Amino acid sequence: MCDGDEIGGIFELATTAVVAVGQLKEAKAEEKASKFNAGISRERAISSRRKAQFDANIEREDAVRRISAQKAAFGKSGVSLTGSPLLVMSEQARINDQDISAILFSGEIEAIAFDRAAELDDRRAKTAKEAGQFGVGSTLLTGAGSAFKTFGSP
């Protein structure tokens, strides 16, 4: 029959096993959540780039309409498209190009931020997995050491 110390040692081993399993499950859940978050960030980066391209295309179409309206207004008033009117249209085209570039740049900056967030979540996933493994190892060694003290001594 087991004495009190042996029963305590058995409970200690059982507790160690339960804690180790809990640590492992917690680490796997954290790893899974971080991988999920990384995937969401990657999707958001792709969406940011697509939206910037879409917005830039709309701005490009609007720019063509503005230039066409200017040409029509100049033509209606009898102004030839040389000299000052040409400079005005050239300046408008430059501004349009800057606006389009700003839209694309802004979308890329946002996308880069999402890419970096995804990389960080990937690192968190890896760290969570490693920390879980070390935690389980530490718990098992501590439990084994305590059990050895209980069972290993005369």
Side-chain angles (χ1 to χ4, degrees):
M1 182 132 183
C2 295
D3 66 10
D5 286 340
E6 288 174 341
I7 292 173
I10 291 169
F11 279 121
E12 195 167 344
L13 285 175
T15 301
T16 299
V18 169
V19 169
V21 168
Q23 287 175 322
L24 193 57
K25 286 187 177 200
E26 181 181 357
K28 284 183 180 185
E30 190 173 334
E31 177 188 18
K32 185 176 179 180
S34 292
K35 285 182 178 181
F36 176 81
N37 289 341
I40 294 295
S41 291
R42 283 188 187 86
E43 289 173 13
R44 292 180 77 183
I46 290 167
S47 293
S48 292
R49 287 183 177 99
R50 286 181 181 164
K51 183 181 183 319
Q53 189 62 53
F54 177 81
D55 291 347
N57 288 340
I58 289 174
E59 182 61 31
R60 196 172 285 113
E61 291 169 5
D62 289 346
V64 168
R65 281 191 280 278
R66 284 190 296 271
I67 296 288
S68 296
Q70 275 183 335
K71 283 182 184 178
F74 287 144
K76 183 177 180 182
S77 64
V79 176
S80 75
L81 297 178
T82 60
S84 293
L86 185 59
L87 291 174
V88 168
M89 289 175 52
S90 176
E91 179 63 12
Q92 184 61 52
R94 187 187 65 74
I95 290 169
N96 293 340
D97 287 344
Q98 283 180 335
D99 290 346
I100 291 166
S101 292
I103 290 168
L104 293 170
F105 180 75
S106 177
E108 185 60 23
I109 292 298
E110 186 176 271
I112 288 170
F114 287 128
D115 285 336
R116 296 302 172 262
E119 290 171 9
L120 184 59
D121 284 326
D122 285 336
R123 287 188 195 117
R124 282 186 185 130
K126 182 179 178 190
T127 301
K129 182 178 181 180
E130 290 171 352
Q133 291 168 343
F134 281 113
V136 167
S138 174
T139 298
L140 292 174
L141 288 172
T142 301
S146 294
F148 179 74
K149 285 180 187 176
T150 302
F151 295 113
S153 59

